[in-house]
Structure formats: C-alpha cells, structure tokens
Amino acid sequence: MRKVEVCLSPELLHLYDVDDKIVVIVDIFRATSTMIAALASGVTGIVPVMDLETCKSYKEKGYIIAGERDGQKAPGFEMGNSPIAYLEGDFLGKKIAMTTTNGTVAIEKTKNAAHSILIGAFVNISATTRFIQNQKKDVLILCAGWKGKFNLEDSLYSGALVSKLHPHFRTDCDSAIALKSLFESNSHRLQLFIGQASHAKRLQNHGIEKDIDFCLEMDKYDFTALLQGNEISIHKA
Amino acid sequence: MRKVEVCLSPELLHLYDVDDKIVVIVDIFRATSTMIAALASGVTGIVPVMDLETCKSYKEKGYIIAGERDGQKAPGFEMGNSPIAYLEGDFLGKKIAMTTTNGTVAIEKTKNAAHSILIGAFVNISATTRFIQNQKKDVLILCAGWKGKFNLEDSLYSGALVSKLHPHFRTDCDSAIALKSLFESNSHRLQLFIGQASHAKRLQNHGIEKDIDFCLEMDKYDFTALLQGNEISIHKA
C-alpha cells in the first residue's frame, strides 16, 4: 500500500527520503495559494527562484517578477505574494519568476530527487488529491513553515490532504496521524482556528484579510499545478 | 504575560531562544517516564549521559548504569529504559547514570542556557504544571522526538501541558496552538490514539505493553523532577 508522510519543516527534510516520491509543497500563506491564483488567471508558467537578485534578472527575459520577504512585496518587484493581485490583473499568457520567504526554498530542496512536485493549496485540494490517487507513488507533503518553524496553516492543509487520501494510503507517520486528527477536529471552524496562527496575525497586520480568505477557500479551482522542468504550470490530465 | 512554546524536535532547537527559560524535556516512550519511575522508587539522583561509553564509566563510581538504544537495553548495561523495571527492583538511595536514544540529547542541548530543566511525563504532569505556574519564567517544551522526527506521544504530552497552563500563559506559538487542540480533542481516548504511533508499535513489538500503560498514566506521582547541576532529582518545594 502506498504511503503518505508529512515533513513539518524544510529543516527536517534531511530525515526523509524524497527519492521517487510525489512531493506536495505547501505554503498556504501565501506562496502556493498565490501560484494557483496566478495560473487560474492565465499565467502559463511560474519559475520558482531562491533569491531576490536571480529573480530580478528574469525581468529582461520577459518575465513578470514577483518577490516577497517577510510577508511584504520586496523593493523593485512588480508583484508581491498576494493571490488577490493576480485575480485583479491581466495575466493571460504571461510568465512569472517568483521568490518567497519559505515556499521557493522547499521546492529547491526537493526538485531533483522527487518523482514529481505538486503545488498544494486549499483552493485546489480535491484536484491534487485526485492526481495523487491516480499515481502509483508514495507521497511526501512538505510544509514550508515559517523560517523553519512549524506553522498552523500548512499543517492543517497537510492534515486535510492526509484525510482525503486516507482510505487508499498508509498513514503510519506520526505527523500524518496527528495532522489528520487536527484537521478533522477543526474542519468545521477552519478560518477561526487558523486565525490564531502567528502568520495569519502577521498578515492581518498588513491589512490583507482578503488574501487570507482566499487562501482558505476550498476547491475554488479544479486543476493541478505541477513543476515540469524549472516551471510550474497547469497539469493537463 | 508569560509565554509557552513547543519545540517539536531537537533538530529545530536552534530556532528557539532557550535563554533563561524553563525547559521541559519530554520523551514519553520512555526516558522521561522512566526517570520519574526511578525517582519514585527511591533513586536519589540520575545523571543523563550522551553516549554509551561515558555512561559505562560511571559504574566504577558506584552508579547503576542504564543504557538504551533503539528501544532495547544496550549490551553490558544493568538497566535499559523500562519504567516497570524500576518499580519492581530495590533502588532506595541509589544513583543512576542513564543514556537513551533521544531524551538525553535533548537535555544536553539545553542545560547550559536554560533557567531550569524539568523532566516531563504524564505520570507527574500536574506537579510539573504547578511548579511552572509558581515560577515567573517563559516555558519551552522540548519534545525529544524519534531520531529527529516529530512523534505523537511527546506531542500529546506537550498539548496536555499547554492545555493545563493555558489560562495563565500566552500560547501564540503555532505548535502550542496545534498540540493543545490535538490533545483536547483526543484526551478521552489517549491510549487508543497514541496506540497508532510508530513508537508505540515498536514497543509493542518488544513485548512491553506494561511500559506503555505506565507511561500514559496521568498523575501517578505528585513530585517534580529537576536537573540540578548534572543530576536529576526530586524537587522539594
């Protein structure tokens, strides 16, 4: 039986075997939610980049450059890390280079060994679930966390995904067991529960409650986002 | 208001400030539960030791030597890591040197910076809670985990302790919020829930269900165990 595990932080990734697995990268507030929003708005490809300088260099190649640090748009960048900003603009056929505090690091650390890299977000969780169910691979859900620490929103997404995969997957990893239970006992009040999270509070201080609402909306979109080569795009089944 | 945080693994400890905090070391299966059992059985002091060789060298100083690796008694040691073995023997006035896979590492990593080190176990959780409430310090609960990974039993203890401290402490650390909820929604079936844990299964394979039952019993003892100098002993209030 296939196995699903959850790695709670990129700092713990060395303890897990990534080889030939489906890795689901999770950075709910806001990198992975924003990637899905961008793709839904017509963006054809997103290149995740580790650092701000490299990201900037994509501008002359015709990319829109998106840079976020500590929850704010980085100076000199066209876009920050707000999903709503993508929904409001015109991005049909555009390509984006994106760097974020936590999310892009998680992608960089796994992309060479993994069988495939999926972008995990509440807004397309059922599509991601279906994609995984149709593969014959073990799954590692990798929470981007916040500067190495456990965070509530990525953990709850992981629990939700484990819960959906549960009938068909072995979940004998302790973090998968814990987060499945955490999600199931809080799913009726997800918004309220995540509202306690340190990251949600940081975002509220930046006045972007709309972003939070968007990031916690379930199944707004019905497509999977997959890293292919160096670019994230919509997967056509 | 004082603050309580939970560090899910010694591998994440560098992300936390230990300085001048009360650190509660948690290794429910079985190091910290066994330490409490040993003290309850008349042992006057426990020296936690990082490695098997150093631990052995305590024998000629008159210590009982206890060594465990991967859930088994290490070759050449008098005691392993079973709490029940202490309850059954005669240990009045004895001193012990102890090394374990995960628990002693957690102590070693924090003992110099922390204000004080407490030994956390379900069997004396209320005494530990009272001790903490009477101090004026922030608290860091440090889960020993299993070889660096998150584990269910240490996490549930952490959640239980956060839950008990909650009215008097700020719990704005995401792992504290998550584990408090995890404990509260599973406290009515703790044994059953922890039975799913990878570590509990490992112990069951070693035929030591009695140890598991012991480790999950709440408030069997009403004393606090504190590291003083290099030795863990019962704290006299």
Side-chain angles (χ1 to χ4, degrees):
Chain A
M1 202 174 183
R2 289 168 293 169
K3 193 168 69 171
V4 55
E5 293 169 298
V6 181
C7 176
L8 298 172
S9 155
E11 302 259 344
L12 299 176
L13 188 60
H14 61 284
L15 303 169
Y16 292 82
D17 182 15
V18 176
D19 217 39
D20 202 37
K21 287 190 177 152
I22 299 177
V23 176
V24 183
I25 306 286
V26 189
D27 188 3
I28 295 299
F29 294 151
R30 296 167 285 167
T32 54
S33 305
T34 298
M35 288 171 178
I36 303 299
L39 295 171
S41 305
V43 165
T44 56
I46 302 165
V47 178
V49 180
M50 287 281 276
D51 62 283
L52 292 166
E53 282 316 301
T54 313
C55 195
K56 268 187 184 164
S57 74
Y58 274 84
K59 194 172 162 74
E60 59 199 37
K61 299 179 200 164
Y63 285 71
I64 295 173
I65 55 169
E68 172 263 5
R69 285 298 178 270
D70 294 334
Q72 309 266 26
K73 182 160 88 173
F77 282 77
E78 296 162 87
M79 302 292 285
N81 198 14
S82 165
I84 299 294
Y86 286 96
L87 301 183
E88 291 169 350
D90 175 19
F91 295 93
L92 204 63
K94 298 278 169 61
K95 284 186 182 269
I96 292 174
M98 185 188 282
T99 182
T100 64
T101 309
N102 308 291
T104 44
V105 179
I107 294 172
E108 198 61 36
K109 281 191 167 187
T110 48
K111 67 179 187 187
N112 291 326
H115 174 269
S116 44
I117 304 268
L118 294 180
I119 302 305
F122 283 114
V123 291
N124 73 336
I125 187 168
S126 291
T128 299
T129 306
R130 269 201 319 279
F131 178 92
I132 293 171
Q133 279 168 344
N134 292 333
Q135 309 288 316
K136 299 276 170 278
K137 300 287 176 187
D138 290 337
V139 178
L140 178 67
I141 307 171
L142 173 55
C143 300
W146 179 257
K147 298 189 174 178
K149 286 186 184 176
F150 173 98
N151 86 27
L152 203 52
E153 62 278 11
D154 297 350
S155 303
L156 281 161
Y157 171 85
S158 304
L161 188 56
V162 171
S163 184
K164 280 172 168 286
L165 293 172
H166 178 63
H168 307 287
F169 283 78
R170 254 172 53 214
T171 54
D172 48 9
C173 142
D174 278 15
S175 40
I177 296 167
L179 298 181
K180 176 174 177 289
S181 169
L182 187 72
F183 172 75
E184 289 172 356
S185 54
N186 290 290
S187 60
H188 62 287
R189 51 158 198 159
L190 204 58
Q191 201 119 359
L192 193 73
F193 188 66
I194 292 185
Q196 303 174 74
S198 57
H199 203 153
K201 287 183 186 153
R202 259 191 307 278
L203 291 179
Q204 279 156 5
N205 289 341
H206 298 159
I208 38 185
E209 288 83 357
K210 271 190 185 170
D211 277 2
I212 298 182
D213 292 347
F214 175 87
C215 296
L216 299 182
E217 205 171 322
M218 293 266 189
D219 290 326
K220 195 172 165 71
Y221 305 112
D222 193 34
F223 63 83
T224 311
L226 200 63
L227 183 73
Q228 290 166 304
N230 281 320
E231 206 171 277
I232 296 156
S233 59
I234 291 180
H235 173 74
K236 294 178 179 74
Chain B
M1 202 174 181
R2 289 167 292 170
K3 193 168 69 171
V4 56
E5 294 170 298
V6 181
C7 176
L8 298 171
S9 155
E11 303 258 343
L12 299 176
L13 189 60
H14 61 284
L15 303 169
Y16 292 83
D17 182 14
V18 176
D19 217 39
D20 201 36
K21 287 189 178 152
I22 298 177
V23 176
V24 183
I25 305 287
V26 189
D27 188 3
I28 295 298
F29 294 152
R30 293 166 287 166
T32 53
S33 304
T34 298
M35 287 170 179
I36 304 298
L39 295 171
S41 305
V43 165
T44 55
I46 302 167
V47 178
V49 180
M50 287 281 275
D51 61 284
L52 292 165
E53 282 316 301
T54 312
C55 195
K56 267 188 184 165
S57 74
Y58 274 84
K59 194 172 162 74
E60 58 199 36
K61 299 178 199 165
Y63 285 70
I64 294 174
I65 56 169
E68 171 263 4
R69 283 299 177 269
D70 294 333
Q72 309 267 26
K73 183 160 88 174
F77 281 78
E78 296 161 85
M79 303 292 285
N81 199 13
S82 165
I84 300 292
Y86 286 94
L87 303 182
E88 291 169 349
D90 175 19
F91 294 93
L92 204 63
K94 298 278 168 61
K95 284 187 183 267
I96 292 174
M98 184 188 283
T99 182
T100 65
T101 309
N102 308 291
T104 44
V105 179
I107 294 172
E108 197 61 36
K109 280 189 166 188
T110 48
K111 68 180 187 187
N112 291 327
H115 174 268
S116 44
I117 304 268
L118 294 180
I119 302 306
F122 283 114
V123 292
N124 74 335
I125 188 169
S126 291
T128 299
T129 306
R130 270 202 318 278
F131 177 92
I132 293 171
Q133 280 168 343
N134 291 333
Q135 308 288 315
K136 299 277 171 277
K137 299 287 175 187
D138 291 337
V139 177
L140 178 67
I141 306 171
L142 172 55
C143 299
W146 179 257
K147 298 187 175 180
K149 286 187 182 173
F150 173 98
N151 86 27
L152 202 53
E153 62 277 11
D154 296 350
S155 303
L156 281 161
Y157 172 85
S158 303
L161 187 56
V162 171
S163 183
K164 281 171 169 286
L165 293 172
H166 178 62
H168 307 287
F169 282 78
R170 254 172 52 214
T171 54
D172 48 7
C173 143
D174 278 15
S175 41
I177 295 167
L179 298 181
K180 175 175 178 288
S181 170
L182 187 71
F183 171 75
E184 288 173 356
S185 55
N186 290 290
S187 60
H188 62 288
R189 51 159 199 159
L190 204 58
Q191 201 120 359
L192 193 72
F193 188 66
I194 292 185
Q196 303 175 75
S198 56
H199 203 154
K201 285 182 186 153
R202 258 192 307 277
L203 292 179
Q204 280 156 4
N205 289 341
H206 297 160
I208 38 185
E209 288 85 355
K210 270 190 185 170
D211 276 3
I212 299 181
D213 292 346
F214 175 87
C215 296
L216 300 181
E217 205 171 322
M218 293 265 191
D219 290 326
K220 195 173 166 69
Y221 305 112
D222 194 33
F223 64 82
T224 312
L226 200 63
L227 183 73
Q228 291 168 302
N230 281 318
E231 206 172 278
I232 295 156
S233 59
I234 292 180
H235 173 74
K236 295 178 180 72

